């Protein structure tokens, strides 16, 4: 039986080095088969996952040799961190290593929505030359409303300011006098004020019990008519049916979503609307970010398995 179980697609030079040193079972589909995963973990000392493997209390209880759970990414919503702590298992992750990739995707979403690039591309590739049909808007002078002003929200703010946007933000836990607020020239507001003032609302909160469906009918109705909504955080933060209604009746003019309530989602729904951009949870998927993420978690797994200390741990 393997010492290290990798239950999703994770590769790169750091993983190759780990494989050369330890007995590693690498099966990108393992997360889909709970029984096989449970059996692979009976003797394993480490598991490395992305966001699809549900590392539940039950799975942890059955993995008696487990010393470290490594999450190759930022959010820990698929890991029962309390059960890990109760069983003395280290949880390591890469909270900063992919933030820039997500922030750049959010900027890309805004530019694509403002200029309708995806539809213009499809139309032009079909042999048309419909210049008049693709008159867009500028980001400069518009208001960006960030919901969640942590690592990613701050990187988005910095970049949006460079485009000449006014940036307002709501963060439940960040103190008003946090130096970064002044430093980035952002105005911290109440949630409803951000919704009412922003031309683009971009969501950057973690998935927690109180952020599940943080955006539902009421929140979308509070947004400015014609505003756009972006989600690169977690799908469950958004009530997709409510977003669909707000887009279909024209209250919102567009949306761009990288993450879905169910992944992969059923065909149709939001993806069938012309004013919606969808991507398959690729926020973190830049080559540079993936190298940083995999390097960080492999380093920490190696440290724990050789009696050292992990650098990037989460304490429940
Ligand atoms: P972070 O912890 O640095 O920032 C999150 C911010 O949200 C914090 O400042 C926190 O105070 C705030 N917050 C928490 N609950 C809130 C609430 N109820 N209302 C308002 N604000 C609240 O996290 P981050 O690195 O900026 O990442 C944000 C999220 O992005 C992650 O939790 C993860 O789910 C998601 N993410 C997605 C991808 C992707 O591939 N699309 C990649 C990385 C991260």
């Amino acid at each position: 039986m393997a010492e290290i179980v990798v239950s999703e697609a994770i590769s790169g030079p750091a993983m190759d080095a780990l494989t050369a040193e330890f007995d590693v079972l690498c099966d990108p589909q393992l997360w889909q088969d709970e029984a096989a995963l449970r059996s692979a973990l009976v003797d394993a000392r480490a598991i490395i996952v992305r966001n699809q493997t549900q590392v539940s209390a039950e799975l942890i209880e059955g993995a008696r040799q487990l010393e470290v759970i490594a999450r190759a990414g930022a959010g820990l919503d698929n890991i029962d961190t309390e059960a890990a702590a109760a069983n003395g298992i280290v949880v390591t992750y890469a909270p900063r290593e992919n933030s820039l990739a997500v922030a750049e995707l959010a900027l890309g979403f805004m530019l694509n929505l403002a200029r309708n690039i995806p539809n213009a591309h499809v139309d032009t590739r079909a042999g048309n030359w419909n210049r008049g049909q693709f008159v867009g808007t500028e980001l400069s002078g518009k208001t960006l409303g960030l919901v969640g002003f942590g690592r990613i929200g701050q990187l988005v703010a910095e970049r949006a300011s460079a485009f000449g946007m006014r940036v307002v933000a709501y963060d439940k836990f960040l103190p008003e006098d946090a130096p970064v607020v002044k430093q980035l020239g952002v105005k911290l507001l109440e949630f409803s004020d951000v919704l009412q003032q922003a031309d683009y609302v971009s969501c950057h909160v973690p998935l927690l019990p109180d952020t599940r469906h943080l955006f539902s009918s009421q929140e979308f109705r509070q947004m400015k008519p014609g505003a756009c909504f972006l989600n690169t955080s977690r799908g469950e933060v958004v009530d997709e049916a409510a977003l669909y209604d707000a887009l279909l009746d024209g209250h919102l003019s567009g949306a761009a979503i990288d993450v879905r309530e169910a992944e992969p989602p059923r065909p149709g729904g939001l993806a069938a609307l012309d004013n919606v951009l969808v991507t398959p949870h690729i926020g973190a998927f830049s080559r540079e970010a993936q190298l940083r993420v995999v390097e960080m978690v492999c380093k920490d797994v190696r440290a724990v398995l050789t009696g050292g200390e992990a650098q990037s741990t989460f304490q429940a």
Side-chain angles (χ1 to χ4, degrees):
M1 291 294 228
E3 282 176 291
I4 302 175
V5 171
V6 183
S7 56
E8 296 178 52
I10 299 168
S11 58
M15 186 54 86
D16 294 343
L18 203 65
T19 308
E21 198 177 344
F22 297 91
D23 184 6
V24 180
L25 167 70
C26 210
D27 179 352
Q29 307 305 330
L30 193 58
W31 63 276
Q32 291 175 323
D33 186 341
E34 214 184 307
L37 181 60
R38 217 175 303 129
S39 143
L41 284 180
V42 168
D43 294 319
R45 298 173 64 202
I47 178 168
I48 308 181
V49 304
R50 285 194 188 277
N51 69 315
Q52 285 172 297
T53 312
Q54 294 307 313
V55 188
S56 62
E58 202 190 347
L59 196 74
I60 290 170
E61 295 294 341
R64 305 311 308 171
Q65 310 302 320
L66 205 60
E67 295 170 48
V68 53
I69 298 167
R71 155 78 170 104
L76 287 169
D77 40 279
N78 57 319
I79 295 171
D80 192 327
T81 50
E82 281 178 16
N87 285 275
I89 297 167
V90 174
V91 174
T92 178
Y93 66 139
R96 280 165 220 86
E97 283 65 20
N98 61 24
S99 311
L100 187 56
V102 183
E104 288 191 0
L105 182 68
L107 262 293
F109 275 166
M110 273 194 286
L111 288 165
N112 273 283
L113 287 169
R115 301 301 296 271
N116 202 1
I117 297 170
N119 287 329
H121 166 75
V122 170
D123 190 68
T124 309
R125 208 150 74 164
N128 300 314
W129 197 251
N130 290 318
R131 296 178 69 208
Q133 204 177 301
F134 294 105
V135 178
T137 55
E138 292 169 1
L139 294 184
S140 183
K142 304 295 185 304
T143 298
L144 167 64
L146 298 166
V147 177
F149 195 56
R151 287 174 292 260
I152 297 172
Q154 291 167 22
L155 289 169
V156 174
E158 218 175 350
R159 281 149 185 78
S161 298
F163 273 90
M165 298 185 87
R166 168 181 175 251
V167 184
V168 298
Y170 165 66
D171 192 295
K172 193 171 172 183
F173 300 107
L174 192 73
E176 243 170 80
D177 57 356
V180 69
V181 176
K182 201 167 168 201
Q183 198 185 314
L184 295 179
V186 170
K187 201 167 175 147
L188 277 194
L189 300 174
E190 291 303 320
F191 188 26
S192 57
D193 294 326
V194 166
L195 296 176
Q196 285 161 24
Q197 292 187 19
D199 299 291
Y200 291 84
V201 170
S202 189
C203 172
H204 301 286
V205 295
L207 177 63
L208 299 168
D210 76 325
T211 59
R212 194 172 290 275
H213 283 195
L214 180 67
F215 287 90
S216 196
S217 300
Q218 204 190 325
E219 289 69 32
F220 291 126
R221 294 293 150 198
Q222 281 184 70
M223 283 174 63
K224 261 186 175 176
C228 290
F229 177 75
L230 321 176
N231 189 13
T232 54
S233 68
R234 282 291 178 270
E236 297 96 318
V237 172
V238 173
D239 176 348
E240 280 191 9
L243 177 59
Y244 182 88
D245 288 345
L247 286 157
L248 195 68
D249 71 13
H251 180 67
L252 298 184
S253 70
I257 44 181
D258 183 45
V259 285
R260 306 297 297 270
E261 281 191 273
E263 294 185 4
R266 279 203 233 132
L270 285 168
L273 297 178
D274 271 349
N275 52 352
V276 176
L277 302 181
V278 285
T279 49
H281 200 149
I282 54 165
F285 283 10
S286 71
R287 292 211 179 97
E288 296 87 342
Q290 286 312 301
L291 280 175
R292 290 191 293 266
V293 163
V294 176
E295 195 172 315
M296 169 60 82
V297 294
C298 286
K299 201 154 113 189
D300 271 357
V301 166
R302 187 185 180 283
V304 175
L305 297 191
T306 54
E309 249 183 60
Q311 256 178 34
S312 180
T313 56
F314 175 83
Q315 315 294 343

